[in-house]
Amino acid sequence: MRALIVEKDADGATRAAVQEIDEGRLPESEVLVAIEYSTLNYKDGLCIGPGGGLVRNYPHVPGIDFAGSVERSSDPRYRPGDRVVLTGWRVGEAHWGGHAQKASVRADWLVPLPEGLTTRAAMAVGTAGLTAMLAVMALEDHGLVAGRGPVLVTGAAGGVGSVATAILSRLGHEVAAVTGRPEQADYLKGLGAARIVAREELSEVTRKPLESETWAGCVDAVAGAMLGRVLKQMKYGAPVAAVGLAGDAAIEGALITPFILRGVNLLGIDSVMQPYARRVAAWGRITRDLPMDRLEAMVVPATLADLPRLGAEILQGRVRGRVVVDVNA
């Protein structure tokens, strides 16, 4: 089998290359999956490159999600030929992941491939799309409905932002897409964004306790100064789903004022350890609420050999949409 193997030398430098390895090197677990497609996320870029503190042991196979068919299983829930999807559970970080032709994983980590969805489409969705759907569901749980005002999506040209933009637009929301790359405006409008907001409009730190009520909801992938600004601009009782920290792990310039004077809700979205039932519900919503024609517009096709280059590019913010990796090409 072929796999992208990341190795670390005595000086701490890492290098990644596609290698032919014996299947026996895979960790022992309950289900062996013949992978058809994987994808590339920001975490994968870290694991392919410097590690980012995510990788425990080398050599390592990254890839935090994959889709394929069961080859063998010691768990009665899965039989050979069953189509499955895996996202999260620290696969590709602490455990060997999906940038390979096969993976050996626990049955609890798998979800049946939703009916009507191909393995390629599932990886066009991937962890990023699942996270976006979980964010939308959380916003809805906290009162977001169409017609109450524009919904902001930060980091909109990235994987989570792209899918969130498409889903929210499909659900009837007016989407305001934030990007620092003006050349992506047509792409974002094609996904359903009603307007484009330049990153510079929200990146300045202010000490104002509140600003004009503007946004009915927000999916935020940036954090940092931008999230600090956005919180002050939320409408009364509006929810913000925090899905990432591309800008900073801190919320710069944030005050308690939006929470206690406007009842703003800041919701943390974790896709790694989500319970099985919530994952199944989110995948069901994806098949219903994510327009597949717009999903295809996000796809950047790739092979295992492309991943060292793309891993570096995603860390530099140079990857748009969803990279879908054909591990058998």
Side-chain angles (χ1 to χ4, degrees):
M1 58 172 278
R2 285 186 298 126
L4 182 70
I5 303 293
V6 184
E7 298 177 305
K8 178 179 282 190
D9 62 26
D11 296 325
T14 58
R15 61 185 181 279
V18 179
Q19 299 182 23
E20 291 279 349
I21 66 169
D22 190 272
E23 182 184 310
R25 291 183 62 185
L26 292 171
E28 289 187 15
S29 201
E30 299 157 347
V31 185
L32 180 67
V33 179
I35 300 173
E36 296 173 14
Y37 292 94
S38 184
T39 182
L40 180 77
N41 300 276
Y42 190 86
K43 281 185 178 180
D44 295 319
L46 290 172
C47 294
I48 291 169
L54 300 176
V55 180
R56 290 180 177 176
N57 299 296
Y58 292 90
H60 180 67
V61 177
I64 68 171
D65 43 17
F66 61 78
S69 60
V70 172
E71 192 164 298
R72 64 173 180 265
S73 173
S74 62
D75 188 289
R77 288 173 290 179
Y78 295 102
R79 295 179 296 178
D82 287 349
R83 313 282 267 180
V84 292
V85 179
L86 183 144
T87 61
W89 301 112
R90 299 213 65 201
V91 171
E93 303 172 40
H95 313 277
W96 278 23
H99 291 163
Q101 292 178 304
K102 295 185 181 182
S104 179
V105 296
R106 291 180 56 185
D108 286 343
W109 297 343
L110 297 169
V111 172
L113 181 73
E115 188 174 349
L117 202 64
T118 66
T119 52
R120 183 180 183 276
M123 285 299 97
V125 176
T127 292
L130 179 67
T131 303
M133 190 71 250
L134 290 168
V136 171
M137 291 165 64
L139 294 178
E140 293 172 342
D141 289 345
H142 285 78
L144 180 67
V145 295
R148 289 190 178 173
V151 179
L152 194 70
V153 177
T154 71
V160 178
S162 293
V163 179
T165 297
I167 292 172
L168 288 164
S169 172
R170 175 67 170 267
L171 293 172
H173 297 281
E174 176 192 347
V175 180
V178 183
T179 182
R181 296 180 278 175
E183 70 276 10
Q184 302 299 340
D186 289 343
Y187 164 75
L188 291 169
K189 289 178 180 177
L191 296 180
R195 59 170 156 148
I196 307 300
V197 179
R199 179 170 59 198
E200 293 75 18
E201 293 183 29
L202 294 170
S203 58
E204 182 184 355
V205 177
T206 71
R207 298 307 301 174
K208 293 180 180 178
L210 292 171
E211 298 185 36
S212 297
E213 295 184 49
T214 305
W215 316 113
C218 174
V219 176
D220 175 64
V222 178
M226 186 172 294
L227 180 54
R229 263 315 273 290
V230 168
L231 288 168
K232 300 173 187 179
Q233 298 178 2
M234 301 306 297
K235 291 177 177 287
Y236 187 89
V240 177
V243 302
L245 38 74
D248 198 332
I251 307 177
E252 192 176 354
L255 300 172
I256 197 68
T257 319
F259 305 113
I260 61 174
L261 293 186
R262 285 191 183 156
V264 172
N265 295 280
L266 180 59
L267 314 171
I269 306 301
D270 166 62
S271 65
V272 176
M273 308 302 289
Q274 279 286 322
Y276 178 84
R278 189 72 168 174
R279 289 174 185 269
V280 171
W283 279 108
R285 286 287 305 272
I286 285 166
T287 60
R288 189 183 80 199
D289 295 330
L290 176 58
M292 291 301 152
D293 57 335
R294 296 181 188 175
L295 178 67
E296 186 59 35
M298 306 175 200
V299 170
V300 177
T303 67
L304 290 176
D306 296 323
L307 288 173
R309 171 181 58 84
L310 290 170
E313 290 181 2
I314 201 169
L315 296 181
Q316 298 163 2
R318 293 166 51 202
V319 171
R320 183 185 81 178
R322 302 288 300 125
V323 175
V324 176
V325 183
D326 183 347
V327 301
N328 297 301

